[in-house]
Every structure is written in structure tokens, then in C-alpha cells.
Amino acid sequence: MKLYQRILLAPALAVLGLGALSAAAAHAFGTQQAAMEEIFRVRFAFYQQAAQVSLEIDAVHASVYRIVTWIGFYDEAKLGRATADLGGRIDRAVSIAKELRGQRGVTEEEGTLLAAILQDVAGYRKSMAMAVDLASVDVNSGLAALQTADLAFQDLRKRVDAHVEEERRLAGERYEEAGKAAQRANRLALLISLLAAAGATAVALWVTRAVTRQLGGEPGYAAEVARRVAEGDLGLSIETRAHDG
């Protein structure tokens, strides 16, 4: 190996270490970015949709109680608008749940919960409509039927709450996975840095010894000998060291 090649070994090893460190850092950044994007665009969006279903169902049930309680003050047109609003809110809840169920990235557990929610919504819709219809004829009958609707609502609410909690749990798990990936990448980067520093130091020491042997001793001593010879000191005694080759 030529002298200049030996001298370049240590810097080359350091550059390779920096390249590996940069690759590890880029991988860590890419992993975190992908995780954050999934949390925001997928998990948070799913959570928002689940929460919207919950809001629509709560609004419907609150309106049912108000309608049945105050139905004596409703004329036919007003009652028609109120019941249409109830139907519209339930339709929105069903539409959101169906849309969410068809999204890519929905887990099996999410799909099971959404299917149960859609089934419970259908049952609640029937009992709610019956309570309003009976109340339009007799308030007491409507209030009695409202108890059945309330039981259906409680079952539905448990499903919706479980779905919202599942979305929160999945988002939390993805966040923890991103944190663990970042920690692994940081440990890898630290290991690469230590190995690159140790390798560059070892190579630098090896090159220094090799160059010193090739020059026949310390460079300063060789330069002093050359200077004295150039000045005409031909009687100078030169010390040499045994070396290979």
C-alpha cells in the first residue's frame, strides 16, 4: 500500500462512519414521520369519526326526550320537522360508521365494533320512532315506550364508547411504537459513532507507526539529519532502526 493511501485510511473510515450515522438518523426520522403521519391522518381521523357518531347518537336521544315530553306543544308540521331531524342525525351516524368500516387500516376489532354499532343503531331507531309515534297519540304511552328506547340507547352507547376507546388505544400504541423505534435508532447511531471513532483512532495509530518505520525513525529526526547533511556535515553519525522490508 502506498504512503498516501495509508494516510487516507483514517479519514476514509471516519467518512464512512458519518455516512452510516446519517443513514441511521434518516431512518429514525423517516420512521417517526411515518408514525406521526399515520397517527394524524389515520388514527386521529378514525377517532374523530367515532366521536362524531357518539355526538350524533347523544343528540338524537336528547331530542327524543324533549319531543316526547313536550309533544303536546307540537303541531303536525313542527313534529314532522323534529322527527325528520332525528332521522337525519341517525342517518349521518350510520353513514359515518359505514364509511369508517370501509376504510383501509381498520382492524378486525374495529370492524366488529362498528358492525355491532350499526346493528344497535337499527334497533334503537325502531324503539325511538315507536316512542314518538305513541307519544303523538298518548304522552304516557310514549313515555313508557321511551323506557325501552332508553335501554336500547344504553346498549348502543356502550358500543360507541368501546369503539372510541379502541381508537384511542390504537393511537396510543402507534405513538409508543414510534417512540421505541426512535430509541432503537438513537442507540444504533450512538454505537455507530463509537465504532467509527474507535476504528478511525486505531487506523490513525497504525498509519502513524507505519509511516514512521518507512521514514526510518521520527520525522523530526530525519529532517534534522537532512538539514545537517545539506549544510556539509558529512561526518554525521546516523542512527537507524531495524524494520521489515
Side-chain angles (χ1 to χ4, degrees), residues 33-44:
Q33 185 178 22
M36 293 301 105
E37 184 174 352
E38 180 182 348
I39 290 173
F40 179 75
R41 295 185 181 276
V42 179
R43 288 296 150 208
F44 183 65

Side-chain angles (χ1 to χ4, degrees), residues 15-209:
V15 170
L16 287 176
L18 287 175
L21 181 61
S22 299
H27 174 71
F29 179 76
T31 300
Q32 283 187 307
Q33 185 178 22
M36 293 301 105
E37 184 174 352
E38 180 182 348
I39 290 173
F40 179 75
R41 295 185 181 276
V42 179
R43 288 296 150 208
F44 183 65
F46 287 0
Y47 179 84
Q48 284 183 311
Q49 288 177 296
Q52 186 61 38
V53 171
S54 177
L55 288 174
E56 295 292 350
I57 295 301
D58 287 347
V60 167
H61 200 56
S63 296
V64 170
Y65 264 94
R66 185 173 60 253
I67 292 171
V68 172
T69 303
W70 294 94
I71 199 166
F73 298 93
Y74 283 67
D75 57 25
E76 185 176 351
K78 186 176 181 180
L79 181 60
R81 290 193 299 269
T83 54
D85 180 67
L86 293 179
R89 284 185 173 274
I90 291 180
D91 287 340
R92 281 195 293 274
V94 170
S95 177
I96 293 171
K98 287 182 176 179
E99 180 184 356
L100 182 54
R101 191 182 180 190
Q103 293 283 351
R104 292 180 58 185
V106 172
T107 65
E108 182 177 354
E109 179 64 22
E110 289 175 289
T112 301
L113 286 170
L114 287 167
I117 287 172
L118 289 171
Q119 183 175 358
D120 287 348
V121 166
Y124 172 70
R125 187 172 201 162
K126 290 179 181 179
S127 59
M128 176 269 296
M130 180 177 295
V132 173
D133 288 342
L134 289 176
S136 64
V137 177
D138 179 66
V139 175
N140 292 328
S141 298
L143 290 173
L146 192 57
Q147 294 180 2
T148 302
D150 190 66
L151 292 175
F153 169 77
Q154 292 179 29
D155 291 337
L156 173 58
R157 198 68 180 79
K158 289 178 182 178
R159 301 276 194 186
V160 172
D161 288 344
H163 181 230
V164 172
E165 177 59 24
E166 178 68 8
E167 296 298 341
R168 188 203 63 78
R169 185 187 68 81
L170 291 173
E173 283 185 355
R174 193 67 184 95
Y175 180 80
E176 290 179 359
E177 289 174 4
K180 291 178 181 178
Q183 291 178 356
R184 289 194 297 269
N186 289 333
R187 288 194 293 267
L188 177 61
L190 178 60
L191 178 62
I192 291 173
S193 299
L194 294 175
L195 291 176
T201 301
V203 170
L205 292 174
W206 174 76
V207 169
T208 299
R209 288 196 296 268

Side-chain angles (χ1 to χ4, degrees), residues 212 215-223 241:
T212 299
L215 293 175
E218 294 295 331
Y221 176 72
R241 298 179 182 177

